[in-house]
């Protein structure tokens, strides 16, 4: 079914008139909820690291491998599974991946040793890329004039899932144990697979080339579009800082300064959820041509926020405020980046998104592991230095944007049109 037919099917299933962007509100909401539920699988373990460290008798740095390998799995999925979104019918692909995710989460919940938990997390991380098939799916349904707004709304669901996952994980673990976190998510993934199978419009592939050529073309896109590489590196630095913060803050909060319980860590994570409110705004900034300006502001805000957090290790209020600003900055650069890359080639949005997300999740995996090592060797202050340096380096790179043409007029004019 071509894109126009998919839109007509969505409108026929709607109970009200279609809005000016042509996509029923219920479908946008479903995209957002589905993205949030699937991406949450990557973050359930973050507030549990101190508990899992004790349960499996491993060090803090080893426990941090759980986050790192989950994110490595996500990178693998982005490189080898998400490009299939251009090659296969999307609804069937999404359903299949969710079934595998369900099985992997069951294995994680039944893990008898830390290696088994690591392996299950690697697989669930790889198949949780469903979120990154849904985002370009929504972008493809949206008209050009409203694409940033639609992506922003869908991404607000995804980002809310990232942030609320920590709270849900902490509360469920405190009440019923860490295994129920994984088993409960497995049930949710099974229900989501059935819901999406029934509700999503069929969406025909945008290319018929063989899978091997699709993979090669994904890497070729990075050579063809300098803006893709630049936005990926921008977000890699930001996501590394984000991951370093949220991977290590549970150690700080459960340590001698605060003595927080798992519930306390979960409630603290609610603070970060406020950052998701910026997602629709970021989409509007992109549509108004403010991509480059707001990117630079976001880098500066993230560096300042982490500096404050690092220096205020005894003040929960300042750490919480820094968490909100950091999350808002990371979400802003992510949405601005996606708006930019989706304009590069309408027929390769899944592959463009795969390259973009894979690039910055490498940064996230490194941030999680290096952050854990920094906390082990130098405490929260060392994490603060690391987290401040990463967006500061991105800001320095941002100053070269026009000179290099990496995200400007040299990128086939696409990014120039996006306001970069």
């Amino acid at each position: 079914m071509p894109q126009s037919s998919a839109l007509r099917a969505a409108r026929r299933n709607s109970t009200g008139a279609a809005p000016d962007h042509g996509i029923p509100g219920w479908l946008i909401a479903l995209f957002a909820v589905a993205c949030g539920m699937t991406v949450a699988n990557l973050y359930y373990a973050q507030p549990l690291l101190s508990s899992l460290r004790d349960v499996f008798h491993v060090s803090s740095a080893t426990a941090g491998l759980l986050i790192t390998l989950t994110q490595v799995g996500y990178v693998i999925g982005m490189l080898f599974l998400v490009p299939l979104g251009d090659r296969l019918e999307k609804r069937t692909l999404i359903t299949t991946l969710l079934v595998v995710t369900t099985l992997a989460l069951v294995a994680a919940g039944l893990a008898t040793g830390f290696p088994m938990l690591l392996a299950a997390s690697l697989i669930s991380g790889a198949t949780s890329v469903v979120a990154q098939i849904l985002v370009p799916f929504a972008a493809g349904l949206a008209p050009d004039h409203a694409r940033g707004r639609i992506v922003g709304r869908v991404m607000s669901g995804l980002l809310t899932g990232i942030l609320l996952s920590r709270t849900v994980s902490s509360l469920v673990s405190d009440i019923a144990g860490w295994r129920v976190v994984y088993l409960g998510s497995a049930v949710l993934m099974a229900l989501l697979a059935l819901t999406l199978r029934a509700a999503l419009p069929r969406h025909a592939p945008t290319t018929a080339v063989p899978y091997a050529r699709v993979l090669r073309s994904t890497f070729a896109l990075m050579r063809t579009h300098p803006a893709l590489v630049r936005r990926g590196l921008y977000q890699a630095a930001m996501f590394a800082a984000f991951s370093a913060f949220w991977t290590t803050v549970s150690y700080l909060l459960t340590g001698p300064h605060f003595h927080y319980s798992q519930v306390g860590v979960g409630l603290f994570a609610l603070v970060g959820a406020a950052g998701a409110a910026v997602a629709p705004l970021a989409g509007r900034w992109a549509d108004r041509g403010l991509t480059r300006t707001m990117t630079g502001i976001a880098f500066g805000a993230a560096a300042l926020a982490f500096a404050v957090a690092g220096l205020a290790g005894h003040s929960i209020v300042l750490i919480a405020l820094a968490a909100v600003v950091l999350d808002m900055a990371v979400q802003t650069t992510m949405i601005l980046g996606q708006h930019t890359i989706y304009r590069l080639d309408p027929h390769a949005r899944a592959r463009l998104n795969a390259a973009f997300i894979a690039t910055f999740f490498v940064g996230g995996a490194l941030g999680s592991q290096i952050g854990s090592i920094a906390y082990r060797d130098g405490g929260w202050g060392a994490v603060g230095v690391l987290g401040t340096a990463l967006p500061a380096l991105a800001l320095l790179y941002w100053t070269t944007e026009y000179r290099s043409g990496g995200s400007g007029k040299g990128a086939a004019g696409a990014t120039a049109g996006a306001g970069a």
Side-chain angles (χ1 to χ4, degrees):
M1 179 182 292
Q3 177 175 315
S4 59
S5 299
L7 276 170
R8 287 195 295 270
R11 290 191 185 111
R12 283 197 299 269
N13 291 330
S14 176
T15 57
D20 63 351
H21 49 66
I23 305 179
W26 68 267
L27 185 57
I28 298 173
L30 178 60
F31 275 120
V33 170
C35 285
M37 288 175 62
T38 53
V39 81
N41 294 322
L42 306 178
Y43 300 95
Y44 285 135
Q46 280 187 339
L48 305 181
L49 289 181
S50 58
S51 296
L52 293 173
R53 175 188 60 190
D54 298 335
V55 168
F56 291 104
H57 307 291
V58 297
S59 68
S60 296
T62 301
L65 276 174
L66 187 61
I67 307 301
T68 301
L69 282 185
T70 304
Q71 293 176 333
V72 167
Y74 204 68
V75 171
I76 293 171
M78 291 303 305
L79 293 175
F80 295 99
L81 298 177
V82 171
L84 289 172
D86 289 334
R87 179 66 180 81
L88 302 177
E89 197 279 310
K90 289 181 176 62
R91 186 178 63 176
T92 301
L93 175 61
I94 288 166
T95 304
T96 302
L97 291 177
L98 285 173
V99 170
V100 178
T101 305
T102 300
L103 297 175
L105 289 169
V106 170
L110 301 177
T112 55
F114 198 64
M116 182 176 175
L117 182 59
L118 288 176
S121 297
L122 180 70
I123 295 171
S124 68
T127 54
S128 290
V129 294
V130 162
Q132 299 305 332
I133 298 173
L134 289 169
V135 173
F137 194 161
L141 296 176
D144 290 341
H145 73 275
R147 182 164 294 117
R149 184 158 31 117
I150 299 305
V151 170
R153 290 178 183 176
V154 174
M155 286 297 294
S156 67
L158 185 148
L159 299 167
T160 300
I162 292 176
L163 298 166
L164 291 184
S165 62
R166 305 182 188 96
T167 302
V168 171
S169 176
S170 296
L171 294 176
V172 172
S173 176
D174 188 71
I175 295 171
W178 66 269
R179 294 183 186 277
V180 178
V181 174
Y182 290 100
L183 296 175
S185 182
V187 172
L188 291 177
M189 292 302 101
L191 294 174
L192 184 61
L194 294 174
T195 302
L196 292 178
R197 181 71 183 179
L200 288 181
R202 289 184 59 83
H203 196 279
T206 58
T207 181
V209 300
Y211 176 62
R213 285 184 59 191
V214 170
L215 293 182
R216 287 197 299 270
S217 69
T218 301
F219 292 98
L221 288 169
M222 300 184 74
R223 295 193 301 270
T224 305
H225 300 294
L228 175 60
V229 177
R230 177 174 284 272
R231 297 302 314 195
L233 293 176
Y234 282 169
Q235 199 61 26
M238 292 290 277
F239 205 60
F242 177 90
S243 297
F245 181 93
W246 287 106
T247 299
T248 58
V249 75
S250 64
Y251 298 139
L252 175 68
L253 297 180
T254 57
H257 294 312
F258 297 105
H259 299 287
Y260 275 30
S261 65
Q262 287 299 326
V263 173
V265 175
L267 292 175
F268 175 84
L270 279 175
V271 173
V278 79
L281 291 176
R284 288 185 172 88
W285 293 332
D287 288 336
R288 291 171 55 193
L290 299 174
T291 297
R292 185 174 188 273
T293 299
M294 297 311 299
T295 296
I297 292 173
F299 290 152
L304 179 61
F306 224 128
V308 170
L311 294 172
H314 295 278
S315 172
I316 192 63
V317 173
L318 290 178
I319 294 173
L321 288 174
V324 172
V325 174
L326 176 65
D327 287 356
M328 291 179 69
V330 172
Q331 292 165 22
T332 295
T333 55
M334 184 189 301
I335 293 167
L336 295 176
Q338 286 181 305
H339 183 270
T340 298
I341 66 168
Y342 289 156
R343 296 170 67 97
L344 299 176
D345 186 348
H347 300 291
R349 287 194 174 111
R351 284 168 285 164
L352 288 165
N353 199 53
F356 175 65
I357 303 292
T359 300
F360 81 69
F361 258 85
V362 170
L366 291 173
S368 296
Q369 194 58 32
I370 296 173
S372 296
I373 294 171
Y375 188 86
R376 180 194 66 189
D377 295 340
W380 182 248
V383 176
V385 172
L386 171 67
T388 303
L390 290 166
L393 289 172
L395 183 60
L396 289 176
Y397 183 38
W398 173 83
T399 64
T400 71
E401 192 167 297
Y402 283 145
R403 289 198 297 274
S404 69
S407 187
K409 296 179 181 178
T415 310

